[in-house]
Amino acid sequence: MKTVFSPLHAGHSGQMELVTSAIVPGFEKPSRAEFIKARVESEKLGPIIGPAEHDLTAAKRVHEAHYIDFLPTVWPEWVAAGFTGSAMGFTWPTRGLRGDVPPKRVDALLGYYSFDAGATFVEGTWAAIKSSYDVALTAAALVKGGERTAFALCRPPGHHAGAAFMGGYCFINNAAVVAQWFRDQGAKRVSILDVDYHHGNGTQEIFYRRGDIQVLNLHGDPMVEYPFFLGHADERGEGEGEGFNINYPMPFGTNWDGWGASLEDACARLAAYAPDVVIVSLGVDTFEKDPISQFKLKSQDYPKIGRRIAKLGLPTLFVMEGGYAVEEIGINAVGVLTGFEDH
């Protein structure tokens, strides 16, 4: 299995985020990707290659063009306005406020284009976002070219980013980008299997009214877990998309028995859909020691995930998402990949 990786991810470093009652250093840090890369190397998973450069056309197939055009301007405008520290919004156009008129100030625009203050900017953030996008498309091309699988070691992650909003450490939705890219390359149907602890609200929002891209999410119950405002079991798609959005919200403390049963059901539904390619939004924050999550999977469970996905017998692209217990993130993420390879 080839891994695609860019060192430019490290430019997104030292950013702050708003969590309940405090502004703290970002949990989404460069060491996450470096631990995974080191584990890929130590396990001899396969070659690690750099990404090819891509323009932003593929991003604008799933995101609003004005949103994508905004992202590279954030840090220069933040500095020009005389602001210091991490660039983050502080005002959001919620119910009763106008969301149809973008303001002109960068701090206000950050609120306009986000749903939380977790996707913040420092000087190297845009270069990292772009490199993560390039990594995903380069890995997708490997699968399109005939590889059974590939691993896009993306950082920052993407699955919380919607058509015109960022949040949850996510700016461009890499899984959504490559799903649309496969469709544009001739795939009739694509499935996205999101195994991250947190619901992939951005992915759901982008494809909710479409039947050509199936979205399956295994995640913490949004009644009590971030991102709170999507991810319920009754959200099954609308119009042409009805029945093609499938959520598996689970309670705090879920271990392999409950989580694995949801995975089994999701894989059965995926197989019945019969996609041409599977994209796995690979989050490993389901781990029992993850600092911001509440599931109880153990390191020995992650190869089981890979083996079950491999049983589908479909071309599969793994796209890295969350996981914040950094000392074990490499063991767990690469465990999924070696489980897939060993099947």
Side-chain angles (χ1 to χ4, degrees), residues 38-248:
R39 187 69 175 184
V40 167
E41 293 169 337
S42 68
E43 291 296 297
K44 298 180 173 56
L45 184 70
I48 299 174
I49 64 174
E53 284 281 332
H54 297 81
D55 64 26
L56 294 170
T57 301
K60 292 178 180 179
R61 293 282 289 137
V62 296
H63 293 286
E64 297 288 342
H66 56 92
Y67 167 68
I68 293 297
D69 290 341
F70 169 66
L71 297 177
T73 73
V74 172
W75 188 252
E77 290 193 16
W78 184 261
V79 172
F83 297 127
T84 59
S86 297
M88 67 172 71
F90 73 101
T91 306
W92 291 269
T94 188
R95 293 170 297 279
L97 302 181
R98 289 193 66 175
D100 61 325
V101 182
K104 292 185 177 180
R105 279 178 42 166
V106 63
D107 52 338
L109 281 168
L110 281 161
Y112 178 81
Y113 282 121
S114 63
F115 71 92
D116 68 7
T120 63
F121 287 72
V122 293
E123 184 175 6
T125 297
W126 168 247
I129 295 167
K130 177 58 164 56
S131 73
S132 187
Y133 165 81
D134 287 338
V135 162
L137 284 169
T138 302
L142 293 174
V143 175
K144 176 65 170 60
E147 301 275 350
R148 175 187 180 225
T149 187
F151 176 37
L153 210 181
C154 293
R155 181 183 175 268
H159 73 151
H160 293 307
F165 62 80
M166 67 187 89
Y169 315 143
C170 301
F171 305 87
I172 292 178
N173 192 318
N174 298 308
V177 165
V178 293
Q180 182 62 52
W181 183 85
F182 278 117
R183 285 284 291 115
D184 292 342
Q185 295 295 313
K188 293 182 179 178
R189 289 179 299 278
V190 178
S191 290
I192 300 174
L193 176 63
D194 191 324
V195 298
D196 191 281
Y197 172 75
H198 301 95
H199 179 254
N201 58 307
T203 310
Q204 172 172 313
E205 185 259 350
I206 289 169
F207 296 123
Y208 201 64
R209 293 168 182 82
R210 291 176 56 173
D212 57 334
I213 297 178
Q214 180 192 48
V215 178
L216 307 109
N217 264 286
L218 286 68
H219 55 277
D221 186 345
M223 290 300 292
V224 292
E225 187 54 270
Y226 179 92
F228 299 111
F229 301 109
L230 277 183
H232 298 280
D234 64 353
E235 297 160 11
R236 295 185 46 79
E238 292 180 356
E240 293 181 3
E242 186 173 355
F244 299 110
N245 186 87
I246 304 166
N247 286 322
Y248 297 86

Side-chain angles (χ1 to χ4, degrees), residues 5-17 25-38 122 124-125 128 153-157 169 320-321 323-327 329-330:
F5 170 81
S6 170
L8 293 178
H9 81 88
H12 184 52
S13 176
Q15 80 281 7
M16 306 296 284
E17 65 172 287
F27 284 96
E28 203 289 288
K29 60 187 72 173
S31 55
R32 298 176 60 251
E34 298 299 334
F35 272 109
I36 297 169
K37 177 175 178 285
V122 293
T125 297
L153 210 181
C154 293
R155 181 183 175 268
Y169 315 143
M320 195 65 212
E321 301 284 3
Y324 308 98
V326 293
E327 292 185 6
I329 189 173

